[in-house]
Coordinates of all heavy atoms in Angstrom, one line a residue:
M1 N -50.0 6.6 9.4 CA -50.1 7.2 8.0 C -50.1 8.8 8.1 O -51.0 9.2 8.9 CB -51.2 6.6 7.3 CG -51.4 7.1 5.9 SD -52.4 6.2 5.0 CE -53.9 7.1 5.2
V2 N -49.4 9.5 7.6 CA -49.3 10.9 7.7 C -50.0 11.5 6.4 O -49.7 11.1 5.3 CB -48.0 11.6 8.0 CG1 -48.0 13.1 7.9 CG2 -47.4 11.1 9.3
K3 N -50.9 12.4 6.4 CA -51.6 12.9 5.3 C -50.7 14.0 4.7 O -49.6 14.3 5.2 CB -52.9 13.5 5.8 CG -53.8 12.5 6.4 CD -54.2 11.3 5.5 CE -55.0 10.3 6.2 NZ -55.1 9.1 5.5
D4 N -51.2 14.6 3.5 CA -50.6 15.5 2.8 C -50.6 16.9 3.2 O -50.0 17.9 2.8 CB -50.9 15.5 1.3 CG -50.4 14.1 0.8 OD1 -49.5 13.5 1.1 OD2 -51.2 13.7 -0.2
K5 N -51.5 17.2 4.2 CA -51.7 18.5 4.8 C -51.4 18.5 6.2 O -51.9 18.0 7.1 CB -53.1 19.0 4.6 CG -53.6 19.2 3.2 CD -54.9 19.6 3.1 CE -55.4 19.9 1.6 NZ -56.7 20.3 1.4
I6 N -50.3 19.2 6.5 CA -49.7 19.3 7.9 C -49.5 20.8 8.2 O -48.9 21.6 7.4 CB -48.4 18.6 8.2 CG1 -48.6 17.1 7.9 CG2 -47.8 18.9 9.5 CD1 -47.2 16.3 7.9
T7 N -50.1 21.2 9.3 CA -49.9 22.6 9.7 C -49.2 22.7 11.0 O -48.8 21.7 11.7 CB -51.3 23.3 10.0 OG1 -51.9 22.5 11.2 CG2 -52.1 23.1 8.7
G8 N -48.6 23.9 11.4 CA -47.9 24.2 12.5 C -48.7 23.8 13.8 O -48.2 23.2 14.8
R9 N -50.0 24.0 13.7 CA -50.8 23.7 14.8 C -51.0 22.2 15.0 O -50.9 21.6 16.1 CB -52.3 24.2 14.6 CG -53.2 24.1 15.8 CD -54.5 24.9 15.5 NE -54.1 26.3 15.5 CZ -54.7 27.2 14.7 NH1 -55.6 26.9 13.8 NH2 -54.4 28.5 14.8
L10 N -50.9 21.5 14.0 CA -51.0 19.8 14.0 C -49.6 19.4 14.6 O -49.6 18.4 15.3 CB -51.3 19.3 12.6 CG -52.7 19.3 12.2 CD1 -52.9 18.9 10.8 CD2 -53.7 18.6 13.2
I11 N -48.5 20.0 14.1 CA -47.2 19.6 14.6 C -47.2 19.8 16.1 O -46.9 18.9 16.8 CB -46.1 20.4 13.9 CG1 -46.0 20.1 12.4 CG2 -44.7 20.1 14.5 CD1 -45.3 21.1 11.6
A12 N -47.7 21.0 16.6 CA -47.6 21.2 18.0 C -48.5 20.2 18.8 O -48.1 19.7 19.8 CB -47.9 22.7 18.2
A13 N -49.6 20.0 18.3 CA -50.6 19.1 18.9 C -50.1 17.6 19.0 O -50.1 16.9 19.9 CB -51.9 19.2 18.3
A14 N -49.4 17.2 17.8 CA -48.8 15.9 17.8 C -47.5 15.8 18.8 O -47.6 14.7 19.4 CB -48.3 15.6 16.4
R15 N -46.8 16.7 18.8 CA -45.6 16.8 19.6 C -46.0 16.7 21.1 O -45.4 15.9 21.9 CB -44.8 17.9 19.5 CG -43.5 18.0 19.9 CD -42.7 19.3 19.6 NE -43.4 20.4 19.9 CZ -43.6 21.0 21.0 NH1 -43.2 20.2 22.1 NH2 -44.4 22.0 21.1
V16 N -47.0 17.5 21.6 CA -47.5 17.4 22.9 C -48.2 16.1 23.3 O -47.9 15.6 24.3 CB -48.3 18.8 23.2 CG1 -49.0 18.5 24.6 CG2 -47.7 20.0 23.0
L17 N -49.0 15.6 22.3 CA -49.6 14.3 22.6 C -48.6 13.2 22.8 O -48.8 12.4 23.6 CB -50.5 14.0 21.4 CG -51.3 12.6 21.5 CD1 -52.3 12.8 22.6 CD2 -52.0 12.4 20.2
A18 N -47.5 13.2 22.1 CA -46.5 12.2 22.3 C -45.6 12.5 23.4 O -44.7 11.7 23.7 CB -45.8 12.1 20.8
G19 N -45.7 13.7 23.9 CA -44.8 14.1 25.1 C -43.2 14.3 24.6 O -42.3 14.0 25.3
V20 N -43.2 14.9 23.5 CA -41.8 15.1 22.8 C -41.4 16.6 23.0 O -42.3 17.4 22.4 CB -41.8 14.6 21.3 CG1 -40.4 14.9 20.8 CG2 -42.1 13.2 21.3
P21 N -40.3 16.8 23.6 CA -39.9 18.2 23.6 C -39.5 18.8 22.2 O -39.2 18.0 21.3 CB -38.6 18.3 24.4 CG -38.6 16.9 25.1 CD -39.4 16.0 24.3
Q22 N -39.6 20.0 21.9 CA -39.4 20.8 20.8 C -38.0 20.3 20.2 O -38.0 20.1 19.0 CB -39.5 22.2 20.7 CG -40.9 22.8 20.7 CD -41.0 24.3 20.6 OE1 -40.1 24.9 21.2 NE2 -41.9 24.9 19.9
G23 N -37.1 20.3 21.0 CA -35.7 20.0 20.5 C -35.5 18.6 19.9 O -34.8 18.4 18.8
D24 N -36.2 17.7 20.6 CA -36.1 16.2 20.1 C -36.9 16.1 18.9 O -36.4 15.3 18.0 CB -36.8 15.4 21.2 CG -35.8 15.3 22.5 OD1 -34.7 15.8 22.5 OD2 -36.3 14.7 23.4
F25 N -38.0 16.8 18.7 CA -38.7 16.6 17.5 C -38.0 17.3 16.5 O -38.0 16.7 15.3 CB -40.1 17.3 17.6 CG -41.1 16.9 16.5 CD1 -42.0 15.9 16.6 CD2 -41.2 17.7 15.4 CE1 -42.8 15.6 15.6 CE2 -42.1 17.4 14.4 CZ -42.8 16.3 14.4
A26 N -37.5 18.5 16.6 CA -36.8 19.1 15.6 C -35.6 18.2 15.1 O -35.4 18.1 13.9 CB -36.2 20.5 16.0
A27 N -34.8 17.6 16.0 CA -33.8 16.7 15.7 C -34.2 15.5 14.8 O -33.6 15.1 13.8 CB -32.9 16.2 16.9
A28 N -35.3 14.9 15.2 CA -35.9 13.9 14.4 C -36.4 14.2 13.1 O -36.3 13.3 12.3 CB -37.0 13.2 15.3
A29 N -36.8 15.5 12.9 CA -37.3 15.9 11.6 C -36.1 16.4 10.7 O -36.4 16.8 9.6 CB -38.4 17.0 11.8
G30 N -35.0 16.7 11.4 CA -33.8 17.2 10.6 C -34.0 18.7 10.5 O -33.4 19.2 9.5
L31 N -34.7 19.3 11.4 CA -34.9 20.8 11.3 C -34.1 21.5 12.4 O -34.0 20.8 13.5 CB -36.4 21.0 11.4 CG -37.3 20.4 10.4 CD1 -38.7 20.9 10.9 CD2 -37.1 21.1 9.2
P32 N -33.6 22.7 12.2 CA -33.1 23.5 13.3 C -34.3 23.7 14.3 O -35.5 24.0 13.8 CB -32.6 24.8 12.6 CG -32.7 24.5 11.2 CD -33.7 23.4 11.0
L33 N -34.0 23.9 15.6 CA -35.1 24.2 16.5 C -35.8 25.4 16.1 O -37.1 25.5 16.2 CB -34.6 24.3 18.0 CG -35.4 24.7 19.0 CD1 -36.6 23.7 19.1 CD2 -34.8 24.8 20.4
T34 N -35.3 26.5 15.7 CA -35.8 27.7 15.4 C -36.9 27.6 14.3 O -38.0 28.2 14.2 CB -34.8 28.9 14.9 OG1 -33.9 28.4 14.0 CG2 -34.0 29.3 16.1
K35 N -36.5 26.7 13.3 CA -37.4 26.4 12.1 C -38.6 25.7 12.7 O -39.9 26.1 12.2 CB -36.8 25.6 11.0 CG -37.7 25.5 9.8 CD -38.1 26.8 9.2 CE -39.0 26.5 8.2 NZ -39.5 27.8 7.4
L36 N -38.5 24.9 13.5 CA -39.7 24.1 14.1 C -40.5 25.1 14.7 O -41.9 25.1 14.7 CB -39.4 22.9 15.0 CG -40.5 22.3 15.7 CD1 -41.4 21.6 14.7 CD2 -40.0 21.3 16.8
Q37 N -40.0 26.0 15.8 CA -40.7 27.1 16.4 C -41.5 28.0 15.4 O -42.6 28.4 15.7 CB -39.7 27.8 17.2 CG -39.2 27.0 18.3 CD -38.1 27.5 19.0 OE1 -37.3 28.5 18.7 NE2 -37.9 27.3 20.5
Q38 N -40.8 28.2 14.3 CA -41.5 29.3 13.4 C -42.7 28.5 12.7 O -43.8 29.1 12.6 CB -40.6 29.6 12.2 CG -39.5 30.6 12.6 CD -38.4 30.8 11.4 OE1 -38.4 30.1 10.5 NE2 -37.6 31.8 11.6
L39 N -42.6 27.2 12.3 CA -43.7 26.4 11.9 C -44.8 26.3 12.8 O -46.0 26.5 12.4 CB -43.1 25.0 11.4 CG -42.3 25.0 10.3 CD1 -41.7 23.6 10.0 CD2 -43.0 25.4 9.0
E40 N -44.6 26.0 14.1 CA -45.6 25.8 15.1 C -46.2 27.2 15.4 O -47.4 27.2 15.4 CB -45.0 25.3 16.4 CG -44.7 23.8 16.3 CD -44.3 23.2 17.5 OE1 -44.4 24.0 18.7 OE2 -44.1 22.1 17.7
A41 N -45.5 28.3 15.3 CA -46.0 29.6 15.5 C -46.9 30.0 14.3 O -47.9 30.8 14.4 CB -44.8 30.7 15.8
G42 N -46.7 29.4 13.2 CA -47.5 29.7 12.1 C -49.0 29.2 12.1 O -49.8 29.5 11.3
G43 N -49.3 28.6 13.0 CA -50.6 28.1 13.3 C -51.2 27.2 12.2 O -50.7 26.1 12.1
S44 N -52.3 27.8 11.5 CA -52.9 26.9 10.5 C -52.3 27.1 9.1 O -52.8 26.5 8.1 CB -54.4 27.4 10.4 OG -54.4 28.7 10.0
A45 N -51.2 27.7 8.9 CA -50.4 27.7 7.7 C -50.0 26.2 7.3 O -49.3 25.7 8.3 CB -49.3 28.7 7.7
L46 N -50.1 25.9 6.2 CA -49.7 24.5 5.8 C -48.1 24.6 5.6 O -47.5 25.5 5.0 CB -50.4 24.2 4.4 CG -51.8 23.9 4.4 CD1 -52.2 23.7 2.9 CD2 -52.1 22.6 5.1
V47 N -47.6 23.4 5.8 CA -46.1 23.2 5.7 C -46.0 22.8 4.2 O -46.6 21.9 3.8 CB -45.5 22.1 6.5 CG1 -44.1 21.8 6.2 CG2 -45.7 22.4 8.0
P48 N -45.2 23.5 3.4 CA -45.1 23.3 2.0 C -44.3 22.0 1.7 O -43.6 21.6 2.5 CB -44.3 24.5 1.5 CG -43.6 25.0 2.6 CD -44.3 24.6 3.8
P49 N -44.8 21.3 0.6 CA -44.0 20.2 0.3 C -42.5 20.3 0.1 O -42.2 21.5 -0.3 CB -44.7 19.7 -1.1 CG -45.9 20.5 -1.2 CD -45.6 21.6 -0.5
G50 N -41.7 19.4 0.4 CA -40.3 19.5 0.3 C -39.5 18.8 1.4 O -40.1 17.9 2.1
K51 N -38.4 19.3 1.7 CA -37.5 18.5 2.5 C -38.0 18.6 3.9 O -37.9 17.7 4.7 CB -36.0 19.1 2.5 CG -35.1 18.5 3.4 CD -33.7 19.2 3.3 CE -32.8 18.6 4.4 NZ -31.6 19.4 4.4
E52 N -38.7 19.8 4.4 CA -39.1 20.1 5.6 C -40.3 19.2 6.0 O -40.4 18.5 7.0 CB -39.4 21.5 6.0 CG -38.2 22.4 6.0 CD -38.7 23.9 6.1 OE1 -39.8 24.3 5.9 OE2 -37.7 24.7 6.2
F53 N -41.2 19.1 5.0 CA -42.3 18.4 5.1 C -42.1 16.9 5.2 O -42.6 16.2 6.1 CB -43.3 18.5 3.8 CG -44.6 17.8 3.9 CD1 -45.6 18.3 4.4 CD2 -44.7 16.6 3.3 CE1 -46.9 17.7 4.5 CE2 -45.8 15.8 3.3 CZ -46.9 16.4 3.9
T54 N -41.0 16.3 4.4 CA -40.7 15.0 4.5 C -40.1 14.6 5.9 O -40.3 13.6 6.3 CB -39.6 14.6 3.4 OG1 -40.2 15.0 2.1 CG2 -39.2 13.2 3.4
G55 N -39.3 15.5 6.4 CA -38.8 15.4 7.7 C -39.7 15.3 8.8 O -39.6 14.5 9.7
I56 N -40.8 16.1 8.7 CA -41.7 16.2 9.7 C -42.6 14.8 9.7 O -43.0 14.3 10.8 CB -42.8 17.5 9.5 CG1 -41.9 18.8 9.9 CG2 -43.9 17.4 10.3 CD1 -42.6 20.1 9.5
K57 N -42.9 14.4 8.5 CA -43.6 13.2 8.3 C -42.8 12.0 9.0 O -43.4 11.2 9.7 CB -43.9 12.9 6.8 CG -44.9 13.7 6.2 CD -45.0 13.4 4.7 CE -45.3 12.0 4.3 NZ -45.6 11.7 3.0
A58 N -41.5 12.0 8.7 CA -40.7 11.0 9.3 C -40.6 11.1 10.8 O -40.8 10.1 11.5 CB -39.2 11.1 8.8
A59 N -40.5 12.3 11.4 CA -40.6 12.6 12.9 C -41.8 12.1 13.4 O -41.9 11.6 14.5 CB -40.3 13.9 13.1
L60 N -43.1 12.4 12.8 CA -44.3 12.1 13.3 C -44.4 10.5 13.4 O -44.9 9.9 14.4 CB -45.4 12.6 12.3 CG -45.7 14.0 12.5 CD1 -46.6 14.6 11.4 CD2 -46.1 14.5 13.9
D61 N -44.0 9.7 12.4 CA -44.0 8.5 12.2 C -43.1 7.8 13.3 O -43.5 6.9 14.0 CB -43.6 7.9 10.8 CG -43.9 6.4 10.7 OD1 -44.8 6.0 10.9 OD2 -42.8 5.8 10.3
Y62 N -41.8 8.4 13.5 CA -41.0 7.9 14.4 C -41.5 7.8 15.9 O -41.4 7.1 16.6 CB -39.6 8.7 14.4 CG -38.8 8.3 15.5 CD1 -37.8 7.3 15.3 CD2 -38.5 9.1 16.6 CE1 -36.9 6.9 16.3 CE2 -37.6 8.8 17.5 CZ -36.9 7.6 17.4 OH -35.9 7.3 18.4
F63 N -42.3 9.1 16.2 CA -42.8 9.3 17.5 C -44.2 8.6 17.7 O -44.9 8.7 18.7 CB -42.8 10.6 17.9 CG -41.5 11.2 18.2 CD1 -41.0 12.1 17.4 CD2 -40.7 10.8 19.3 CE1 -39.6 12.7 17.6 CE2 -39.3 11.3 19.5 CZ -39.0 12.2 18.7
G64 N -44.7 7.9 16.6 CA -45.9 7.1 16.7 C -47.2 8.0 16.6 O -48.2 7.6 17.4
V65 N -47.2 9.0 15.9 CA -48.3 9.9 15.8 C -49.0 9.8 14.5 O -48.2 9.8 13.3 CB -47.9 11.3 16.1 CG1 -49.2 12.4 16.0 CG2 -47.4 11.5 17.5
V66 N -50.3 9.9 14.3 CA -51.0 9.7 13.1 C -51.7 11.0 12.8 O -52.4 11.5 13.9 CB -51.9 8.6 12.9 CG1 -52.7 8.6 11.7 CG2 -51.2 7.4 13.1
V67 N -51.6 11.8 11.7 CA -52.4 12.9 11.5 C -53.8 12.5 10.7 O -53.8 11.6 9.8 CB -51.7 13.9 10.6 CG1 -52.5 15.0 10.1 CG2 -50.4 14.3 11.3
L68 N -54.8 12.9 11.4 CA -56.2 12.6 10.7 C -56.8 13.6 9.8 O -56.6 14.9 10.3 CB -57.2 12.3 11.9 CG -56.7 11.2 12.9 CD1 -57.8 11.3 14.1 CD2 -56.7 9.9 12.2
D69 N -57.3 13.5 8.7 CA -57.7 14.4 7.8 C -59.1 14.9 8.4 O -59.7 14.3 9.3 CB -58.2 13.8 6.5 CG -56.9 13.8 5.6 OD1 -55.9 14.5 5.7 OD2 -56.9 12.9 4.7
E70 N -59.5 16.0 8.0 CA -60.9 16.6 8.2 C -62.0 15.6 7.7 O -61.8 15.0 6.4 CB -61.2 18.0 7.6 CG -60.2 19.0 8.2 CD -60.5 20.4 7.5 OE1 -61.7 20.6 6.9 OE2 -59.7 21.2 7.8
A71 N -62.9 15.4 8.4 CA -64.1 14.3 8.1 C -65.2 14.5 8.9 O -65.1 14.9 10.1 CB -63.5 12.9 8.0
D72 N -66.4 14.2 8.3 CA -67.7 14.1 9.1 C -67.8 15.5 9.8 O -68.4 15.5 10.9 CB -67.6 12.9 9.9 CG -67.6 11.7 9.3 OD1 -68.2 11.6 8.2 OD2 -66.9 10.7 9.9
G73 N -67.5 16.6 9.3 CA -67.7 18.0 9.9 C -66.7 18.2 11.0 O -67.0 19.2 11.7
M74 N -65.7 17.5 11.2 CA -64.9 17.6 12.2 C -63.4 18.1 11.6 O -63.3 17.7 10.5 CB -64.5 16.3 13.0 CG -65.8 15.7 13.6 SD -66.2 16.5 15.0 CE -65.0 15.9 16.2
G75 N -62.7 18.9 12.3 CA -61.5 19.3 11.8 C -60.3 18.2 11.9 O -60.5 17.1 12.3
A76 N -59.2 18.4 11.3 CA -58.0 17.7 11.3 C -57.6 17.4 12.7 O -57.8 18.3 13.6 CB -56.9 18.2 10.4
G77 N -56.9 16.3 13.0 CA -56.4 16.1 14.3 C -55.2 15.2 14.2 O -54.7 14.8 13.2
V78 N -54.8 14.7 15.5 CA -53.8 13.9 15.7 C -54.2 12.8 16.7 O -54.9 12.9 17.5 CB -52.3 14.4 16.1 CG1 -51.9 15.3 15.0 CG2 -52.6 15.2 17.4
R79 N -53.6 11.6 16.5 CA -53.7 10.4 17.5 C -52.5 9.7 17.5 O -51.8 9.7 16.6 CB -55.0 9.7 17.3 CG -54.9 8.8 16.0 CD -56.2 8.0 15.8 NE -56.6 7.5 17.0 CZ -57.9 7.0 17.2 NH1 -58.7 7.0 16.4 NH2 -58.2 6.6 18.4
L80 N -52.4 8.8 18.6 CA -51.2 8.0 18.7 C -51.5 6.6 18.0 O -52.6 6.1 17.9 CB -51.0 7.7 20.1 CG -50.6 8.8 21.1 CD1 -50.5 8.4 22.5 CD2 -49.3 9.4 20.6
K81 N -50.6 6.0 17.4 CA -50.6 4.8 16.6 C -50.9 3.7 17.7 O -51.5 2.7 17.4 CB -49.2 4.4 16.0 CG -48.9 5.2 14.8 CD -47.8 4.4 14.2 CE -47.2 5.2 13.0 NZ -46.0 4.7 12.4
F82 N -50.2 3.7 18.8 CA -50.4 2.7 19.8 C -51.1 3.2 21.1 O -50.9 4.4 21.3 CB -49.1 2.1 20.3 CG -48.2 1.6 19.1 CD1 -47.2 2.3 18.6 CD2 -48.5 0.4 18.7 CE1 -46.4 1.8 17.6 CE2 -47.7 0.0 17.6 CZ -46.6 0.6 17.2
T83 N -51.9 2.3 21.8 CA -52.4 2.7 23.0 C -51.4 2.7 24.1 O -50.3 2.0 23.9 CB -53.6 1.8 23.4 OG1 -52.9 0.5 23.7 CG2 -54.7 1.7 22.4
R84 N -51.5 3.4 25.2 CA -50.5 3.2 26.3 C -50.3 1.8 26.6 O -49.2 1.4 27.0 CB -51.0 4.1 27.4 CG -51.0 5.6 27.1 CD -51.2 6.5 28.3 NE -51.4 7.8 28.0 CZ -50.5 8.7 27.4 NH1 -49.3 8.3 27.2 NH2 -50.9 9.9 27.2
R85 N -51.4 1.0 26.6 CA -51.1 -0.4 27.0 C -50.3 -1.1 26.2 O -49.3 -1.8 26.5 CB -52.6 -1.1 27.1 CG -52.5 -2.5 27.4 CD -53.9 -3.0 27.4 NE -53.9 -4.6 27.8 CZ -54.8 -5.4 27.5 NH1 -55.9 -4.9 26.9 NH2 -54.6 -6.6 27.9
D86 N -50.4 -0.8 24.8 CA -49.5 -1.4 23.8 C -48.1 -1.1 24.0 O -47.1 -1.9 23.9 CB -49.9 -0.9 22.2 CG -51.2 -1.5 21.9 OD1 -51.7 -2.5 22.5 OD2 -51.8 -0.9 20.9
V87 N -47.8 0.2 24.2 CA -46.5 0.7 24.5 C -45.9 0.2 25.8 O -44.8 -0.5 25.9 CB -46.5 2.2 24.6 CG1 -45.0 2.8 25.2 CG2 -46.8 2.9 23.3
R88 N -46.8 -0.1 26.8 CA -46.2 -0.8 28.0 C -45.7 -2.3 27.7 O -44.8 -2.8 28.2 CB -47.2 -0.8 29.1 CG -47.3 0.6 29.9 CD -48.1 0.4 31.3 NE -49.4 -0.1 31.0 CZ -50.5 0.6 30.8 NH1 -50.5 1.9 30.6 NH2 -51.6 -0.1 30.6
Q89 N -46.6 -2.9 26.9 CA -46.4 -4.3 26.7 C -45.2 -4.4 25.8 O -44.3 -5.3 25.9 CB -47.6 -4.9 25.8 CG -47.4 -6.2 25.4 CD -47.5 -7.3 26.5 OE1 -47.5 -7.0 27.7 NE2 -47.5 -8.6 26.0
L90 N -44.9 -3.5 24.9 CA -43.7 -3.5 23.9 C -42.5 -3.3 24.9 O -41.5 -3.8 24.7 CB -43.8 -2.5 22.9 CG -44.8 -2.8 21.7 CD1 -45.0 -1.5 20.8 CD2 -44.2 -4.0 20.9
T91 N -42.5 -2.4 25.8 CA -41.5 -2.1 26.7 C -41.1 -3.2 27.4 O -40.0 -3.7 27.7 CB -41.8 -0.9 27.5 OG1 -42.0 0.4 26.6 CG2 -40.6 -0.5 28.4
R92 N -42.2 -4.0 28.0 CA -42.0 -5.1 28.8 C -41.3 -6.2 28.0 O -40.3 -6.8 28.4 CB -43.4 -5.6 29.4 CG -43.2 -6.8 30.3 CD -44.4 -7.4 30.8 NE -45.2 -7.9 29.7 CZ -45.0 -9.1 29.2 NH1 -43.8 -9.9 29.6 NH2 -45.6 -9.6 28.2
L93 N -41.7 -6.4 26.9 CA -41.3 -7.5 26.0 C -39.7 -7.2 25.7 O -38.9 -8.1 25.6 CB -42.1 -7.7 24.7 CG -43.4 -8.2 25.0 CD1 -44.3 -8.2 23.7 CD2 -43.4 -9.7 25.4
E94 N -39.4 -6.0 25.3 CA -38.1 -5.6 24.9 C -37.1 -5.7 26.0 O -35.9 -5.8 25.9 CB -38.0 -4.2 24.2 CG -38.8 -4.2 22.8 CD -38.8 -2.9 22.2 OE1 -38.4 -1.8 22.9 OE2 -39.1 -2.8 21.1
S95 N -37.6 -5.6 27.2 CA -36.8 -5.5 28.5 C -36.5 -7.1 29.0 O -35.8 -7.1 30.0 CB -37.3 -4.7 29.6 OG -38.5 -5.2 30.2
E96 N -37.0 -8.1 28.3 CA -36.9 -9.4 28.7 C -35.5 -10.1 28.3 O -35.2 -11.2 28.7 CB -38.0 -10.3 28.2 CG -39.3 -9.9 29.0 CD -40.5 -10.9 28.5 OE1 -40.2 -11.5 27.4 OE2 -41.5 -10.8 29.0
G97 N -34.8 -9.3 27.5 CA -33.5 -9.9 27.1 C -33.5 -10.3 25.7 O -34.5 -10.3 25.1
G98 N -32.4 -10.6 25.2 CA -32.2 -11.0 23.8 C -32.1 -9.7 22.8 O -32.2 -8.7 23.4
P99 N -32.0 -10.1 21.6 CA -31.8 -8.9 20.6 C -33.1 -8.2 20.5 O -34.2 -8.8 20.6 CB -31.4 -9.7 19.3 CG -32.0 -11.0 19.5 CD -31.8 -11.3 20.8
V100 N -33.0 -7.0 20.6 CA -34.1 -5.9 20.2 C -34.2 -5.7 18.9 O -33.3 -5.2 18.1 CB -33.8 -4.7 21.1 CG1 -35.0 -3.8 20.8 CG2 -33.7 -5.0 22.6
G101 N -35.5 -5.9 18.3 CA -35.8 -5.3 16.9 C -36.3 -4.2 16.8 O -36.8 -3.5 17.7
A102 N -36.4 -3.6 15.6 CA -37.0 -2.4 15.3 C -38.5 -2.4 15.5 O -39.1 -3.5 15.2 CB -36.6 -1.8 14.0
D103 N -39.1 -1.4 16.0 CA -40.6 -1.1 16.1 C -40.9 0.2 16.0 O -40.0 1.1 15.9 CB -41.1 -1.9 17.3 CG -40.6 -1.4 18.6 OD1 -40.6 0.0 18.7 OD2 -40.5 -2.1 19.5
D104 N -42.2 0.6 16.0 CA -42.7 1.9 15.9 C -43.0 2.6 17.2 O -43.7 3.6 17.2 CB -43.8 2.1 14.9 CG -43.6 1.7 13.6 OD1 -42.3 1.9 13.1 OD2 -44.5 1.3 12.7
A105 N -42.6 1.9 18.3 CA -43.0 2.4 19.6 C -42.0 3.6 19.9 O -40.9 3.6 19.8 CB -42.9 1.4 20.8
P106 N -42.6 4.8 20.5 CA -41.8 5.9 20.9 C -40.9 5.6 22.0 O -41.3 4.7 22.8 CB -42.7 7.0 21.1 CG -44.1 6.4 21.1 CD -44.0 5.1 20.5

């Protein structure tokens, strides 16, 4: 679940946590690479609602990253939807043959 406040800093953290290059993330978000670089360079500036925000939300979801709101005196952050063990298990199951279904594993 992606929250309504996403900053360039959170995008960069999410991308690095998921191990996704800028070009791949930009493509998944439907953004030009230069726009993603501008957003990430913007640091704590919020991404305004609109097409870019929607694309970023979709890319975060696609790569299995969740944005966490500020809470309990802690700042906003990111985490993975799945543990590494879950991803290994999904990969193993999908490589056993048969039709592959859609899932949220990056």
Side-chain angles (χ1 to χ4, degrees):
M1 181 167 98
V2 177
K3 304 300 181 192
D4 292 331
K5 294 182 180 179
I6 299 175
T7 65
R9 189 170 290 139
L10 287 173
I11 296 168
R15 194 177 51 69
V16 170
L17 179 63
V20 178
Q22 279 185 323
D24 293 349
F25 191 90
L31 299 173
L33 177 59
T34 55
K35 182 61 180 179
L36 176 64
Q37 290 169 335
Q38 288 172 347
L39 290 170
E40 287 188 2
S44 60
L46 291 174
V47 176
K51 183 180 172 188
E52 292 172 353
F53 183 84
T54 303
I56 291 166
K57 283 176 56 172
L60 290 170
D61 190 50
Y62 177 78
F63 289 114
V65 179
V66 178
V67 175
L68 306 171
D69 280 336
E70 293 183 18
D72 301 325
M74 302 284 286
V78 294
R79 72 178 315 159
L80 297 174
K81 281 187 193 179
F82 300 105
T83 64
R84 294 193 189 284
R85 181 178 177 201
D86 292 338
V87 172
R88 281 195 307 271
Q89 180 71 354
L90 287 168
T91 302
R92 184 186 65 78
L93 291 172
E94 288 181 348
S95 66
E96 290 182 346
V100 176
D103 60 41
D104 291 336

